[in-house]
Short mmCIF file of all heavy atoms in Angstrom, two decimals:
data_model
loop_
_atom_site.label_atom_id
_atom_site.label_comp_id
_atom_site.label_asym_id
_atom_site.label_seq_id
_atom_site.Cartn_x
_atom_site.Cartn_y
_atom_site.Cartn_z
N GLU O 245 48.76 52.77 -4.29
CA GLU O 245 48.55 54.20 -4.58
C GLU O 245 47.18 54.40 -5.23
O GLU O 245 46.74 53.62 -6.07
CB GLU O 245 49.66 54.73 -5.51
CG GLU O 245 49.49 56.19 -5.85
CD GLU O 245 50.53 56.65 -6.85
OE1 GLU O 245 51.37 55.86 -7.28
OE2 GLU O 245 50.47 57.89 -7.20
N LYS O 246 46.47 55.46 -4.81
CA LYS O 246 45.17 55.78 -5.34
C LYS O 246 45.26 57.02 -6.19
O LYS O 246 45.84 58.01 -5.80
CB LYS O 246 44.18 56.02 -4.21
CG LYS O 246 43.85 54.77 -3.39
CD LYS O 246 42.74 55.02 -2.37
CE LYS O 246 42.43 53.77 -1.59
NZ LYS O 246 41.32 53.97 -0.63
N ILE O 247 44.68 56.96 -7.40
CA ILE O 247 44.68 58.09 -8.34
C ILE O 247 43.23 58.38 -8.73
O ILE O 247 42.55 57.53 -9.24
CB ILE O 247 45.50 57.77 -9.61
CG1 ILE O 247 46.96 57.45 -9.23
CG2 ILE O 247 45.48 58.96 -10.57
CD1 ILE O 247 47.79 56.99 -10.41
N THR O 248 42.81 59.62 -8.43
CA THR O 248 41.44 60.02 -8.76
C THR O 248 41.29 60.10 -10.28
O THR O 248 42.10 60.75 -10.97
CB THR O 248 41.07 61.37 -8.14
OG1 THR O 248 41.19 61.25 -6.72
CG2 THR O 248 39.66 61.78 -8.52
N MET O 249 40.30 59.42 -10.81
CA MET O 249 40.06 59.44 -12.24
C MET O 249 39.32 60.74 -12.63
O MET O 249 38.57 61.27 -11.86
CB MET O 249 39.29 58.17 -12.66
CG MET O 249 39.97 56.90 -12.23
SD MET O 249 39.03 55.37 -12.51
CE MET O 249 39.36 55.09 -14.25
N ASP O 250 39.59 61.19 -13.86
CA ASP O 250 39.09 62.46 -14.28
C ASP O 250 37.68 62.45 -14.83
O ASP O 250 37.24 63.39 -15.49
CB ASP O 250 40.05 63.12 -15.32
CG ASP O 250 40.18 62.27 -16.55
OD1 ASP O 250 39.58 61.18 -16.58
OD2 ASP O 250 40.87 62.71 -17.51
N TYR O 251 36.93 61.43 -14.53
CA TYR O 251 35.55 61.38 -14.94
C TYR O 251 34.73 60.57 -13.96
O TYR O 251 35.25 59.80 -13.19
CB TYR O 251 35.39 60.77 -16.36
CG TYR O 251 35.77 59.32 -16.46
CD1 TYR O 251 34.88 58.32 -16.11
CD2 TYR O 251 37.03 58.95 -16.82
CE1 TYR O 251 35.22 56.96 -16.20
CE2 TYR O 251 37.40 57.61 -16.91
CZ TYR O 251 36.49 56.65 -16.59
OH TYR O 251 36.82 55.35 -16.61
N ASN O 252 33.45 60.80 -13.97
CA ASN O 252 32.52 60.08 -13.14
C ASN O 252 31.45 59.50 -14.06
O ASN O 252 30.60 60.25 -14.54
CB ASN O 252 31.90 61.00 -12.06
CG ASN O 252 31.00 60.24 -11.11
OD1 ASN O 252 30.19 59.43 -11.52
ND2 ASN O 252 31.14 60.52 -9.81
N ALA O 253 31.53 58.23 -14.35
CA ALA O 253 30.63 57.64 -15.37
C ALA O 253 29.16 57.76 -14.96
O ALA O 253 28.31 57.98 -15.79
CB ALA O 253 31.02 56.17 -15.58
N LYS O 254 28.90 57.62 -13.67
CA LYS O 254 27.49 57.68 -13.24
C LYS O 254 26.95 59.12 -13.39
O LYS O 254 25.83 59.30 -13.86
CB LYS O 254 27.39 57.26 -11.76
CG LYS O 254 25.93 57.27 -11.27
CD LYS O 254 25.82 56.84 -9.83
CE LYS O 254 24.34 56.78 -9.43
NZ LYS O 254 23.61 58.04 -9.63
N ARG O 255 27.75 60.12 -12.99
CA ARG O 255 27.31 61.50 -13.13
C ARG O 255 27.07 61.83 -14.60
O ARG O 255 26.13 62.52 -14.97
CB ARG O 255 28.32 62.44 -12.54
CG ARG O 255 27.86 63.89 -12.48
CD ARG O 255 28.91 64.79 -11.86
NE ARG O 255 29.23 64.38 -10.52
CZ ARG O 255 30.47 64.16 -10.09
NH1 ARG O 255 31.48 64.34 -10.89
NH2 ARG O 255 30.70 63.81 -8.84
N GLN O 256 27.97 61.35 -15.44
CA GLN O 256 27.85 61.58 -16.88
C GLN O 256 26.55 60.91 -17.39
O GLN O 256 25.82 61.53 -18.17
CB GLN O 256 29.07 61.01 -17.61
CG GLN O 256 29.09 61.23 -19.11
CD GLN O 256 30.32 60.56 -19.74
OE1 GLN O 256 30.99 59.76 -19.15
NE2 GLN O 256 30.56 60.95 -20.98
N ASN O 257 26.32 59.72 -17.00
CA ASN O 257 25.14 58.98 -17.47
C ASN O 257 23.86 59.56 -16.87
O ASN O 257 22.80 59.47 -17.54
CB ASN O 257 25.24 57.49 -17.13
CG ASN O 257 24.34 56.64 -18.02
OD1 ASN O 257 24.07 56.99 -19.14
ND2 ASN O 257 23.85 55.57 -17.44
N ASP O 258 23.91 60.11 -15.70
CA ASP O 258 22.73 60.73 -15.12
C ASP O 258 22.25 61.89 -15.97
O ASP O 258 21.03 62.10 -16.17
CB ASP O 258 23.02 61.26 -13.70
CG ASP O 258 23.10 60.14 -12.66
OD1 ASP O 258 22.65 59.00 -12.98
OD2 ASP O 258 23.60 60.41 -11.54
N MET O 259 23.21 62.68 -16.51
CA MET O 259 22.88 63.77 -17.39
C MET O 259 22.27 63.25 -18.69
O MET O 259 21.24 63.76 -19.16
CB MET O 259 24.11 64.62 -17.72
CG MET O 259 23.81 65.82 -18.61
SD MET O 259 25.27 66.69 -19.19
CE MET O 259 25.89 65.48 -20.41
N HIS O 260 22.84 62.20 -19.25
CA HIS O 260 22.32 61.62 -20.48
C HIS O 260 20.91 61.12 -20.26
O HIS O 260 20.01 61.31 -21.09
CB HIS O 260 23.22 60.43 -20.92
CG HIS O 260 24.62 60.84 -21.30
ND1 HIS O 260 25.60 59.92 -21.59
CD2 HIS O 260 25.16 62.09 -21.42
CE1 HIS O 260 26.71 60.59 -21.90
NE2 HIS O 260 26.47 61.84 -21.82
N GLN O 261 20.72 60.42 -19.13
CA GLN O 261 19.41 59.87 -18.76
C GLN O 261 18.38 60.96 -18.70
O GLN O 261 17.27 60.84 -19.23
CB GLN O 261 19.54 59.15 -17.43
CG GLN O 261 18.29 58.64 -16.85
CD GLN O 261 18.56 58.09 -15.43
OE1 GLN O 261 19.69 57.82 -15.05
NE2 GLN O 261 17.54 57.97 -14.66
N ARG O 262 18.69 62.07 -18.06
CA ARG O 262 17.75 63.17 -17.93
C ARG O 262 17.39 63.82 -19.26
O ARG O 262 16.23 64.10 -19.54
CB ARG O 262 18.35 64.24 -16.97
CG ARG O 262 17.51 65.48 -16.80
CD ARG O 262 18.11 66.41 -15.76
NE ARG O 262 19.49 66.74 -16.06
CZ ARG O 262 19.85 67.62 -17.02
NH1 ARG O 262 18.93 68.23 -17.74
NH2 ARG O 262 21.13 67.89 -17.24
N ILE O 263 18.40 64.01 -20.13
CA ILE O 263 18.16 64.60 -21.45
C ILE O 263 17.23 63.71 -22.29
O ILE O 263 16.29 64.21 -22.91
CB ILE O 263 19.49 64.85 -22.19
CG1 ILE O 263 20.26 66.00 -21.50
CG2 ILE O 263 19.27 65.16 -23.66
CD1 ILE O 263 21.61 66.28 -22.05
N VAL O 264 17.51 62.40 -22.32
CA VAL O 264 16.65 61.48 -23.04
C VAL O 264 15.22 61.52 -22.52
O VAL O 264 14.22 61.60 -23.28
CB VAL O 264 17.17 60.05 -22.99
CG1 VAL O 264 16.19 59.06 -23.63
CG2 VAL O 264 18.55 59.91 -23.64
N GLU O 265 15.09 61.53 -21.20
CA GLU O 265 13.79 61.52 -20.55
C GLU O 265 13.02 62.80 -20.91
O GLU O 265 11.79 62.73 -21.23
CB GLU O 265 13.98 61.45 -19.01
CG GLU O 265 12.75 61.03 -18.32
CD GLU O 265 13.08 60.69 -16.87
OE1 GLU O 265 13.74 59.66 -16.61
OE2 GLU O 265 12.61 61.43 -15.95
N GLU O 266 13.66 63.93 -20.86
CA GLU O 266 12.99 65.23 -21.16
C GLU O 266 12.57 65.24 -22.65
O GLU O 266 11.44 65.64 -22.95
CB GLU O 266 13.92 66.40 -20.90
CG GLU O 266 14.25 66.59 -19.40
CD GLU O 266 13.03 66.89 -18.56
OE1 GLU O 266 11.98 67.39 -19.13
OE2 GLU O 266 13.06 66.68 -17.36
N ILE O 267 13.42 64.83 -23.54
CA ILE O 267 13.10 64.89 -25.01
C ILE O 267 11.91 63.96 -25.29
O ILE O 267 10.96 64.34 -25.99
CB ILE O 267 14.31 64.47 -25.84
CG1 ILE O 267 15.40 65.56 -25.74
CG2 ILE O 267 13.94 64.21 -27.29
CD1 ILE O 267 16.73 65.14 -26.43
N VAL O 268 11.92 62.74 -24.77
CA VAL O 268 10.91 61.74 -25.04
C VAL O 268 9.54 62.22 -24.53
O VAL O 268 8.52 62.19 -25.17
CB VAL O 268 11.26 60.38 -24.46
CG1 VAL O 268 10.09 59.43 -24.47
CG2 VAL O 268 12.44 59.78 -25.23
N ASN O 269 9.52 62.69 -23.26
CA ASN O 269 8.25 63.06 -22.63
C ASN O 269 7.69 64.35 -23.23
O ASN O 269 6.45 64.48 -23.33
CB ASN O 269 8.45 63.18 -21.11
CG ASN O 269 8.52 61.83 -20.44
OD1 ASN O 269 7.53 61.16 -20.29
ND2 ASN O 269 9.74 61.43 -20.04
N GLU O 270 8.55 65.27 -23.64
CA GLU O 270 8.02 66.49 -24.28
C GLU O 270 7.42 66.12 -25.64
O GLU O 270 6.34 66.64 -26.01
CB GLU O 270 9.16 67.51 -24.45
CG GLU O 270 9.44 68.32 -23.22
CD GLU O 270 10.32 69.52 -23.49
OE1 GLU O 270 10.52 69.87 -24.70
OE2 GLU O 270 10.85 70.14 -22.54
N ALA O 271 8.10 65.27 -26.38
CA ALA O 271 7.59 64.89 -27.72
C ALA O 271 6.27 64.14 -27.62
O ALA O 271 5.41 64.26 -28.51
CB ALA O 271 8.65 64.05 -28.40
N LEU O 272 6.13 63.33 -26.58
CA LEU O 272 4.90 62.52 -26.40
C LEU O 272 3.85 63.24 -25.54
O LEU O 272 2.80 62.64 -25.26
CB LEU O 272 5.28 61.17 -25.78
CG LEU O 272 6.16 60.26 -26.64
CD1 LEU O 272 6.52 59.00 -25.84
CD2 LEU O 272 5.50 59.90 -27.96
N HIS O 273 4.12 64.43 -25.13
CA HIS O 273 3.23 65.24 -24.30
C HIS O 273 2.84 64.50 -23.03
O HIS O 273 1.67 64.50 -22.61
CB HIS O 273 1.98 65.60 -25.08
CG HIS O 273 2.29 66.33 -26.39
ND1 HIS O 273 2.79 67.59 -26.48
CD2 HIS O 273 2.16 65.89 -27.68
CE1 HIS O 273 2.97 67.94 -27.73
NE2 HIS O 273 2.59 66.91 -28.48
N ARG O 274 3.81 63.87 -22.41
CA ARG O 274 3.57 63.14 -21.19
C ARG O 274 3.75 64.08 -20.01
O ARG O 274 4.63 64.96 -19.98
CB ARG O 274 4.55 61.96 -21.03
CG ARG O 274 4.40 60.91 -22.13
CD ARG O 274 3.10 60.11 -21.95
NE ARG O 274 3.02 58.99 -22.89
CZ ARG O 274 3.18 57.72 -22.53
NH1 ARG O 274 3.46 57.39 -21.28
NH2 ARG O 274 3.10 56.77 -23.42
N ASN O 275 2.97 63.85 -18.93
CA ASN O 275 3.13 64.61 -17.68
C ASN O 275 3.57 63.69 -16.61
O ASN O 275 3.90 62.51 -16.82
CB ASN O 275 1.85 65.35 -17.32
CG ASN O 275 0.65 64.39 -17.25
OD1 ASN O 275 0.80 63.27 -16.76
ND2 ASN O 275 -0.52 64.82 -17.70
N ILE O 276 3.56 64.18 -15.37
CA ILE O 276 4.05 63.37 -14.25
C ILE O 276 3.25 62.13 -14.01
O ILE O 276 3.75 61.11 -13.49
CB ILE O 276 4.09 64.25 -12.94
CG1 ILE O 276 4.87 63.57 -11.86
CG2 ILE O 276 2.68 64.62 -12.50
CD1 ILE O 276 6.33 63.37 -12.18
N GLU O 277 1.96 62.11 -14.40
CA GLU O 277 1.12 60.97 -14.18
C GLU O 277 1.41 59.79 -15.13
O GLU O 277 1.28 58.65 -14.74
CB GLU O 277 -0.35 61.38 -14.30
CG GLU O 277 -0.78 62.40 -13.25
CD GLU O 277 -2.25 62.80 -13.44
OE1 GLU O 277 -2.86 62.36 -14.41
OE2 GLU O 277 -2.76 63.55 -12.58
N ASN O 278 1.81 60.09 -16.33
CA ASN O 278 2.10 59.02 -17.30
C ASN O 278 3.50 59.17 -17.89
O ASN O 278 3.76 58.75 -19.00
CB ASN O 278 1.06 59.00 -18.39
CG ASN O 278 0.99 60.31 -19.19
OD1 ASN O 278 1.68 61.25 -18.86
ND2 ASN O 278 0.16 60.36 -20.20
N ARG O 279 4.38 59.75 -17.14
CA ARG O 279 5.72 60.00 -17.60
C ARG O 279 6.52 58.73 -17.86
O ARG O 279 6.33 57.73 -17.12
CB ARG O 279 6.45 60.85 -16.52
CG ARG O 279 7.84 61.32 -16.93
CD ARG O 279 8.44 62.22 -15.87
NE ARG O 279 9.75 62.74 -16.23
CZ ARG O 279 9.95 63.83 -16.96
NH1 ARG O 279 8.89 64.51 -17.41
NH2 ARG O 279 11.16 64.20 -17.27
N ILE O 280 7.34 58.75 -18.89
CA ILE O 280 8.24 57.66 -19.19
C ILE O 280 9.57 57.92 -18.47
O ILE O 280 10.19 58.96 -18.75
CB ILE O 280 8.46 57.45 -20.69
CG1 ILE O 280 7.14 57.06 -21.35
CG2 ILE O 280 9.54 56.44 -20.97
CD1 ILE O 280 7.25 57.01 -22.90
N PHE O 281 9.97 57.02 -17.62
CA PHE O 281 11.20 57.21 -16.89
C PHE O 281 12.35 56.41 -17.58
O PHE O 281 12.17 55.26 -17.90
CB PHE O 281 11.08 56.77 -15.43
CG PHE O 281 10.17 57.65 -14.62
CD1 PHE O 281 8.83 57.33 -14.44
CD2 PHE O 281 10.64 58.85 -14.08
CE1 PHE O 281 7.99 58.14 -13.73
CE2 PHE O 281 9.79 59.70 -13.38
CZ PHE O 281 8.47 59.33 -13.19
N VAL O 282 13.45 57.08 -17.77
CA VAL O 282 14.61 56.43 -18.40
C VAL O 282 15.56 55.98 -17.32
O VAL O 282 15.88 56.72 -16.39
CB VAL O 282 15.33 57.43 -19.35
CG1 VAL O 282 16.58 56.81 -19.95
CG2 VAL O 282 14.36 57.88 -20.43
N GLN O 283 16.04 54.75 -17.46
CA GLN O 283 16.97 54.16 -16.48
C GLN O 283 18.43 54.28 -17.05
O GLN O 283 18.62 54.11 -18.23
CB GLN O 283 16.67 52.72 -16.22
CG GLN O 283 15.25 52.49 -15.74
CD GLN O 283 14.97 53.20 -14.42
OE1 GLN O 283 15.77 53.19 -13.50
NE2 GLN O 283 13.81 53.88 -14.36
N GLY O 284 19.35 54.57 -16.19
CA GLY O 284 20.76 54.66 -16.57
C GLY O 284 21.54 53.39 -16.28
O GLY O 284 21.37 52.79 -15.20
N ILE O 285 22.35 52.99 -17.18
CA ILE O 285 23.19 51.80 -17.01
C ILE O 285 24.64 52.17 -17.39
O ILE O 285 24.87 52.75 -18.44
CB ILE O 285 22.73 50.63 -17.86
CG1 ILE O 285 21.30 50.23 -17.53
CG2 ILE O 285 23.66 49.44 -17.67
CD1 ILE O 285 20.75 49.15 -18.48
N VAL O 286 25.59 51.81 -16.49
CA VAL O 286 27.00 51.96 -16.79
C VAL O 286 27.54 50.52 -17.00
O VAL O 286 27.45 49.69 -16.08
CB VAL O 286 27.79 52.65 -15.71
CG1 VAL O 286 29.27 52.67 -16.02
CG2 VAL O 286 27.25 54.09 -15.50
N ILE O 287 28.10 50.24 -18.16
CA ILE O 287 28.63 48.92 -18.49
C ILE O 287 30.18 48.99 -18.56
O ILE O 287 30.71 49.82 -19.28
CB ILE O 287 28.08 48.40 -19.84
CG1 ILE O 287 26.54 48.20 -19.76
CG2 ILE O 287 28.74 47.08 -20.19
CD1 ILE O 287 25.93 47.75 -21.05
N ILE O 288 30.81 48.12 -17.82
CA ILE O 288 32.27 47.96 -17.95
C ILE O 288 32.48 46.79 -18.90
O ILE O 288 32.17 45.66 -18.57
CB ILE O 288 32.94 47.69 -16.59
CG1 ILE O 288 32.52 48.80 -15.58
CG2 ILE O 288 34.47 47.64 -16.74
CD1 ILE O 288 32.93 50.20 -15.99
#
């Protein structure tokens, strides 16, 4: 039997990743040329 779980860890982490990325780059005044990209990791 398959039961759909009520969360999507990747989707959740994608949002976290984006928020961290926006905060860091705004604070450091980075633009697209020297932007810091944040990577998302889901650990079981």
Side-chain angles (χ1 to χ4, degrees):
E245 180 184 0
K246 293 185 178 182
I247 301 175
T248 299
M249 304 174 81
D250 60 357
Y251 65 84
N252 184 315
K254 183 180 183 304
R255 188 181 300 129
Q256 182 182 15
N257 200 32
D258 285 346
M259 182 189 73
H260 296 173
Q261 174 186 342
R262 177 176 53 78
I263 289 176
V264 174
E265 197 169 293
E266 294 297 339
I267 291 174
V268 168
N269 284 286
E270 279 192 15
L272 296 176
H273 306 290
R274 297 290 187 105
N275 55 38
I276 192 65
E277 295 178 355
N278 59 357
R279 187 176 181 84
I280 295 175
F281 292 97
V282 177
Q283 304 300 314
I285 300 175
V286 177
I287 296 177
I288 307 300

